Structure formats: C-alpha cells, structure tokens
C-alpha cells in the first residue's frame, strides 16, 4: 500500500537506525505522534488519520524492523528502552521545542508507556492515549501483588493474563517462529482472522506491502522484552503525563483487569472501556480519534467533554446520570415530560423535543427550576429528514447523547372498517416510524462514537394484547415491540442497549387527545372525557413510568411492562392458549 497523496515522507536518524516518518494534516497544528505495534506499520492508522488531519499535524512512523525503518540484526536492539528512544527522536525531529500528543497501540503503547515514565517526559509529551498496551512494569506489579496475596479472587485475573500471553514462549525461539511467519503468515489470513475474531471488515485492515517480513522481524520484540519476567523484576515508575486508557473488553492478549491499578502510577488518568477486540484502530477508528481529540482539547485548556469527565478515574461521583446527555421525544407532556424530569433529577442534561414548541419549552423550564440543564426543540418525529437534522444539530451543539428515549406518540380508536387510511397511516408514521427515525439517526451517532449508549423505545401493553377498535394503535406498538427486539440484537456488538417499555393504563394527555374515527365532534369529545376519567381514576401517574424507564437504562433491561395489568397481560399472553386469547378479544371492545 502506498502512502496517501498528501503524505510527506522523511527519515529521522537515531544512532544507527533510520526511522521512516510520515506526516499529514496541518503542519502548523498541534502535533500527534502515532505509534503502531506488531505486526503493523504506520498503515495501522490509515482509518484513524482522516478524523485527525483537519485539525492536527499528524505524524506516524514505522518502528524498527518494520516497513522502511532499519531492521537491526541483534534482537537486543528491540528492547523497549531502545524503541522509546526512537519515539523521542521522532518527537524532537517533528516538533522541536514543542510538546506533542501521543496515540499508541499494542507494542507501540508499551513503548510510549516507557517513554512517559521517563523523568521530565511531561516537558515533551502533553498527553498519551493508550490502546491495548500496558506499562510492563505496572502490569508486573499488578500481577505480583496479587500473587503475594493468593486468594481465589486475586489469583484469577493475573493467571488469566498469563494464560493470554503464553504464546510469547513460542515467539522467543530464535529461528523457527520467524521462519514459520515467512512461510505461512499472509495478509489474507490476517484479514480473515480479524473478521472472524472481532467482526472487522477486510477493507479496514490496511497493511504494508512488507507485512509478512515485518511480522517475522518484529517477533524479536518478544524475545527482547520477556513480558512474563516483569512479574519478578517490575520497577516503580510514575508519570506526570495525562494518560487516557482505551481498554478493549474482548482483547485476547491484554485483559482489561491489567489496568485496574493504573491510577497508582499516574497523576491524571481517564479510562474508557470499549466493546472491541485487540485491533481497535481497525475496528473502531472513529472512537479512537474521538477520544484522543477530547483528551487533547481538555489538556489544552478547553472545558472537558462530558464523556471525558465521566471517564476520569478518581473523580467524585454524584448522581447516577451526572455527565450524561439524554434525548427525550414527545417530552412536552405525560410520560415524556416526566421522563425528562426524572433523568434531570438524576443529574443528566436533557434534550427535550415535542411537536408543540411551547410544551417543550415548558418542560425545559421545569428542569431549570430543579437546577438542571435542558435544551428544548420543536420536532415532528414522523418527518425523517427533520429527525436526522435534529440529531445532527444535537451532536454538533451538545454532543452525542448517551440515552435516547423514543417516546412521542398518538392514540387512535375505532373499528378498523371505520378507520380512514390517513388516520391509520398517521398513527404508524408517528408511533412506529418516529421510533425508527430516532433509532436510526441517534443510533448511528452512538455506534460511530464507539462508547456504547442506550435507546428506550416506548411501546405499550397493546403490543401484545390485540383489542377491537385499536387496530392502528396496537399495530404501531406491536411493530415498535418487534423492531426493538431486532434492534437490540443488532446494536449489542456496539455496546448499545435497547429497552422496550410497555405501559398499561396510565393517565396522560394522550387519552384526552385520542382520535375516535367515524364519530361526530360531540361524540368524540364525550368518549375522550369518558376515557380520561377512567384513566384518572386508575391513579397510575406517568411519573411511575418515568422511574421504570430510568431503571431500565440503569440495569439494561430488555422488555419492561409497566403497571400490574401490563405485567399480567405480558405473562398471560405467554401462558394462555392462543385460542382462548382470540376468543376473549373477539368479544371485548372498548372503542365502539
């Protein structure tokens, strides 16, 4: 693979090593130095750099033994201290006299960890974002201290980590591993392995033309550094450089628990856990860039982003949803308003939208009276383009939301043959497609961000209790129910939870505004008053549904019936023979 057309290539000399360096982006912007691991080259960052180059002077380089950089013959030249000296040589060459930011992966991260723990490293490195690579000394101390107190809980994590790196012993053999690599290790197999192991599309795995040779040469890094030996000779090392950990939950080589004690050796530490495998720059390039930029902005004096504040290790935690952004549609009244208030009381900033701008503004004012922060918007959820534009504006002005509650809805009642097509379509457009539009627009933002989130889709007990006279409403809510099941399965790999909330008989404005098709105006108003009175006497307020929604997000619950009758119907439909259910529904009508 050749460098991109605007890439500036040069060589930096460090002793006898010529380091191939590649520069992109703004020459006068803040400098980010990217460090790859094994068996990669600077091409590891090809999918990350496009998210950085508009703002930063982006520098990547091939580490010794890889790509176009010198390949020393002595394996001892691959010691981490030697690799760290290469990093400092690159920093001095590309940003003389100015501090840089470092983003590193795998052995590149191990190298950068060694560098930031050097005396006065903070004078040259302004921030360090570490991906899938520990400080070997810190990891050794973490393991040793647990072995010194051999309880089952203490032993489990370091033993699991040691099992994950047992392959190192094979890699340390002087000749055979490198020969095997040259014979059998090919780009196609590597791409296939990443697709099967972590779902990374093959076209995202960007490799050098020297891939096989690099894999063989780079094996010497294992022999030179004997990671297992660090358990017995780990040094006490600290850093003043602000450090951000991007921890892959499903990394088979570096277990997340390895980083649990990292706060002991860092003065400023942030940690974000991703639903990802080892090669995060390939699978989650947007997330890597997103997190790196947020740390750079914060250490440069800007107000820390909401997600970064939430990731800071040791920061006092207050309410459950402090430093969260929640979006609630249909928040001008009823369940939507109470949900917005409930999240605000729990510490969240809330984006409240409603088709009635004044109602959305009133909800935002109520949140402000509580001492919270809310942003009101007018929104018609049935308009896909409007929802997409709304999501983009929210992301631009307030950030990517952590929770989205698709609540907006309308009610309609009448026998099917008396329900006009336009009424049926209107109910589906708002109740079902409004949920689809919101899930698509905000779900993509969450997935691209890469740090999970939660979507709540408000359905109804009508989704699983078909009734005469409510064909449009029940159909829309049933569609929401099934759609949410599908969405939950699809978004699980992105760490995005999906909850389907199914209220029963709850007194809200939707009852007073239910459309009764085929009746005169007076008859419709009578029915609305009748149902409103019945629901009011039920004495189940929307605030209880709001509490259930908050709990569903807290505990990542899949299906949440609300009210006793909703629970009874939910289990009843599963235990009652279908023929008996159909018999009852054929003889019960509330909307004639």
């Amino acid at each position: 693979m050749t460098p991109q057309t605007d890439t500036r290539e040069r060589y930096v000399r460090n002793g006898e090593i010529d380091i191939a360096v590649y520069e992109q982006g703004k020459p006068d912007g803040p400098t980010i130095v990217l460090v790859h691991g094994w068996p990669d080259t600077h091409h590891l960052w090809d999918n990350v750099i496009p998210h950085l180059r508009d703002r930063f002077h982006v520098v990547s380089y091939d580490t010794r033994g890889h790509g176009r950089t010198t390949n020393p013959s002595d394996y001892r030249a691959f010691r981490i201290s030697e690799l760290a000296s290469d990093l400092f040589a690159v920093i001095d060459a590309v940003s003389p006299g100015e501090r840089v930011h470092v983003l590193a992966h795998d052995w590149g991260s191990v190298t950068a960890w060694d560098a930031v723990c050097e005396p006065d490293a903070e004078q040259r490195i302004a921030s360090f974002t570490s991906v899938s690579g520990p400080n070997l000394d810190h990891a050794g101390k973490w393991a040793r201290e647990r072995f010194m107190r051999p309880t089952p809980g203490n032993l489990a994590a370091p033993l699991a980590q040691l099992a994950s790196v047992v392959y190192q012993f094979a890699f340390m053999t002087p000749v055979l591993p490198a020969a095997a690599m040259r014979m059998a290790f090919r780009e196609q197999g590597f791409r296939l392995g990443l697709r099967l192991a972590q779902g990374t599309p093959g076209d995202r795995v960007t490799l050098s033309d020297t891939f096989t040779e690099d894999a063989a040469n780079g094996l010497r890094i294992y022999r030179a550094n004997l990671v297992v030996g660090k358990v017995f000779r780990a040094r006490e090392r600290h850093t003043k450089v602000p450090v951000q950990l991007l921890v892959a939950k499903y990394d088979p080589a570096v277990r997340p628990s390895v980083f649990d004690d990292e706060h002991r050796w860092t003065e400023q530490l942030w940690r974000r856990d991703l639903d990802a495998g080892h090669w995060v720059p390939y699978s989650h390039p947007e997330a890597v860039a997103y997190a790196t930029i947020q740390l750079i902005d914060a250490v440069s004096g800007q107000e820390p982003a909401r997600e970064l504040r939430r990731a800071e290790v040791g920061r006092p935690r207050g309410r459950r949803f402090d430093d969260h952004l929640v979006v609630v549609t249909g928040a001008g009244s009823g369940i939507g308003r109470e949900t917005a208030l409930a999240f605000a009381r729990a510490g969240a900033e809330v984006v409240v939208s409603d088709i009635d701008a004044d109602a959305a503004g009133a909800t935002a004012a109520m949140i402000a009276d509580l001492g919270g922060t809310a942003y009101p918007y007018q929104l018609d959820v049935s308009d896909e383009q409007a929802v997409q534009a709304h999501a983009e504006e929210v992301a631009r002005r307030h950030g990517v939301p952590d929770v989205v509650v698709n609540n907006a809805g309308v009610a309609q009642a009448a026998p099917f043959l008396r329900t006009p097509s336009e009424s049926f379509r209107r109910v589906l457009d708002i109740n079902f497609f409004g949920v689809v539009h919101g899930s698509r627009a905000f779900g993509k933002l969450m997935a691209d961000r890469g740090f999970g989130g939660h979507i709540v889709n408000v359905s109804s007990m009508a989704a699983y209790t078909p009734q005469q006279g409510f064909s449009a409403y029940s159909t829309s809510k049933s569609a929401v129910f099934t759609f949410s099941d599908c969405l939950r399965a699809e978004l699980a790999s992105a760490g995005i939870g999906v909850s389907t909330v199914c209220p029963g008989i709850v007194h809200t404005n939707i009852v007073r505004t239910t459309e009764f098709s085929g009746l005169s105006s007076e008859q419709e108003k009578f029915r609305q008053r009748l149902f409103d009175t019945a629901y009011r006497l039920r004495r189940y307020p929307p605030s209880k549904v709001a509490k259930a929604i908050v709990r569903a997000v807290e505990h990542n619950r899949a299906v949440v019936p609300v009210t006793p009758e909703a629970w009874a119907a939910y289990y009843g439909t599963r235990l009652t023979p279908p023929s008996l259910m159909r018999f009852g529904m054929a003889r019960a009508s509330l909307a004639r």
Side-chain angles (χ1 to χ4, degrees):
M1 177 173 294
T2 57
Q4 298 187 35
T5 54
D6 69 339
T7 300
R8 303 175 293 278
E9 181 181 357
R10 61 161 153 160
Y11 287 85
V12 170
R13 187 79 173 176
N14 183 32
E16 297 181 354
I17 305 297
D18 286 319
I19 306 166
V21 177
Y22 305 88
E23 299 176 73
Q24 298 183 49
K26 298 180 63 175
D28 58 347
T31 299
I32 305 178
V33 178
L34 313 180
V35 193
H36 69 82
W38 177 89
D40 310 296
T41 63
H42 70 283
H43 286 298
L44 171 77
W45 304 107
D46 283 355
N47 297 310
V48 177
I49 289 174
H51 302 285
L52 302 173
R53 62 199 304 173
D54 290 342
R55 283 187 54 189
F56 301 99
H57 171 213
V58 184
V59 178
S60 57
Y61 67 95
D62 292 337
T63 62
R64 55 178 67 190
H66 298 77
R68 299 187 182 183
T69 293
T70 302
N71 177 34
S73 58
D74 190 340
Y75 79 91
R76 288 169 292 191
F78 287 83
R79 288 173 177 164
I80 290 300
S81 58
E82 298 295 327
L83 297 172
S85 73
D86 289 347
L87 171 58
F88 278 119
V90 171
I91 291 172
D92 290 340
V94 301
S95 185
E98 297 290 335
R99 296 198 302 167
V100 306
H101 306 274
V102 175
L103 166 61
H105 174 257
D106 187 68
W107 280 104
S109 183
V110 175
T111 298
W113 265 116
D114 193 81
V116 300
C117 288
E118 287 295 302
D120 300 322
E122 70 277 7
Q123 303 299 322
R124 299 297 290 117
I125 300 175
S127 75
F128 169 38
T129 296
S130 166
V131 188
S132 295
N135 180 296
L136 297 185
D137 291 294
H138 297 173
K141 281 189 168 293
W142 165 83
R144 184 176 181 179
E145 290 183 9
R146 282 157 177 77
F147 283 132
M148 295 294 289
R149 294 176 285 123
T151 65
N154 281 344
L155 291 177
L159 287 175
Q161 179 57 54
L162 287 174
S164 295
V165 296
V166 71
Y167 64 88
Q168 289 182 22
F169 292 105
F171 283 1
M172 290 171 194
T173 306
V175 178
L176 292 180
M181 286 286 174
R182 291 186 175 94
M183 290 178 59
F185 206 47
R186 296 291 182 268
E187 295 180 29
Q188 297 91 333
F190 186 69
R191 288 192 174 93
L192 177 61
L194 291 193
R195 183 169 66 82
L196 295 176
Q198 60 182 40
T200 304
D203 59 357
R204 279 197 172 189
V205 182
T206 52
L207 304 173
S208 170
D209 294 337
T210 57
F211 173 73
T212 299
E213 191 64 22
D214 294 338
N217 294 337
L219 286 177
R220 285 170 289 179
I221 198 170
Y222 291 93
R223 185 180 177 195
N225 294 286
L226 188 63
V227 176
V228 176
K230 283 292 185 180
V231 174
F232 306 104
R233 50 185 173 82
R235 298 169 294 170
E236 187 74 29
R237 306 198 71 196
H238 296 263
T239 182
K240 295 180 181 179
V241 175
V243 176
Q244 175 174 219
L245 301 172
L246 301 186
V247 179
K249 294 181 183 178
Y250 310 115
D251 191 331
V254 184
R255 301 298 179 100
S257 56
V258 169
F259 302 99
D260 287 351
D261 290 351
E262 202 55 65
H263 62 280
R264 295 171 50 190
W265 301 289
T266 52
E267 291 192 1
Q268 293 177 281
L269 180 67
W270 294 262
R271 173 173 175 162
R272 307 196 205 197
D273 290 68
L274 294 87
D275 289 289
H278 181 73
W279 269 272
V280 180
Y282 289 141
S283 62
H284 292 73
E286 299 92 346
V288 172
Y290 189 88
T292 303
I293 291 170
Q294 286 189 340
L295 180 63
I296 292 172
D297 287 345
V299 301
S300 300
Q302 295 186 30
E303 176 69 21
R306 186 182 297 106
E307 296 97 336
L308 191 67
R309 295 197 302 269
R310 199 162 67 234
E312 186 174 358
V313 176
R315 188 169 185 263
R317 300 292 182 235
R319 295 167 294 182
R320 170 63 180 82
F321 287 95
D322 281 344
D323 299 321
H324 284 70
L325 181 67
V326 177
V327 170
V328 184
T329 67
S333 63
I335 293 172
R337 171 173 285 178
E338 292 297 333
T339 299
L341 290 168
F343 275 111
R345 292 188 187 99
E349 296 178 36
V350 188
V351 173
V352 296
S353 67
D354 199 278
I355 196 166
D356 183 340
D358 292 338
T363 300
M366 294 171 71
I367 291 173
D369 289 342
L370 295 172
T373 302
Y375 313 102
Y377 288 87
Q378 191 278 331
L379 179 66
D380 178 0
V381 298
S382 69
D383 184 338
E384 182 175 9
Q385 292 184 347
V387 174
Q388 183 62 45
H390 174 62
E392 292 171 359
E393 183 174 5
V394 168
R396 183 175 64 254
R397 296 181 60 185
H398 313 298
V400 176
D402 304 291
V403 180
V404 173
V405 182
N406 291 308
N407 164 76
V410 295
Q412 189 274 345
F416 171 68
L417 296 179
R418 210 167 67 201
T419 301
S421 295
E422 57 270 20
S423 295
F424 206 107
R425 187 174 295 110
R426 173 176 175 267
V427 173
L428 289 178
D429 284 345
I430 297 172
N431 291 4
F432 174 55
F433 282 106
V435 169
V436 172
H437 301 333
S439 297
R440 175 179 286 117
F442 286 108
K444 186 177 189 307
L445 291 172
M446 290 178 180
D448 287 347
R449 179 180 62 176
F451 295 104
H454 204 98
I455 295 173
V456 177
N457 293 331
V458 178
S459 180
S460 168
M461 67 176 283
Y464 45 81
T465 54
Q467 303 170 35
Q468 291 189 53
F470 291 94
S471 56
Y473 183 77
S474 293
T475 297
S476 69
K477 293 300 185 179
S478 182
V480 168
F481 192 99
T482 301
F483 167 72
S484 299
D485 281 348
C486 297
L487 192 66
R488 186 178 306 112
E490 290 194 18
L491 297 184
S493 61
I496 300 172
V498 177
S499 294
T500 312
V501 175
C502 303
I505 299 174
V506 180
H507 187 232
T508 68
N509 281 350
I510 198 172
V511 181
R512 291 193 294 273
T513 58
T514 297
E515 175 191 345
F516 287 85
S517 301
L519 301 179
S520 66
S521 177
E522 291 76 11
Q523 290 173 320
E524 183 178 54
K525 289 178 181 178
F526 173 77
R527 288 292 181 92
Q528 289 170 342
R529 288 194 300 270
L530 179 65
F531 274 77
D532 184 60
T533 300
Y535 274 59
R536 186 175 64 253
L537 292 174
R538 169 68 177 81
R539 296 184 181 278
Y540 202 99
S543 58
K544 289 189 176 183
V545 182
K547 290 179 181 178
I549 289 173
V550 173
R551 288 195 299 270
V553 175
E554 286 182 309
H555 302 291
N556 193 22
R557 292 174 178 166
V559 179
V560 184
V562 186
T563 72
E565 64 274 11
W567 279 104
Y570 181 69
Y571 286 111
T573 55
R574 282 150 179 75
L575 300 174
T576 303
S579 57
L580 182 59
M581 177 65 69
R582 288 194 293 269
F583 177 84
M585 291 302 102
R587 284 154 181 78
S589 175
L590 298 174
R592 288 187 182 279

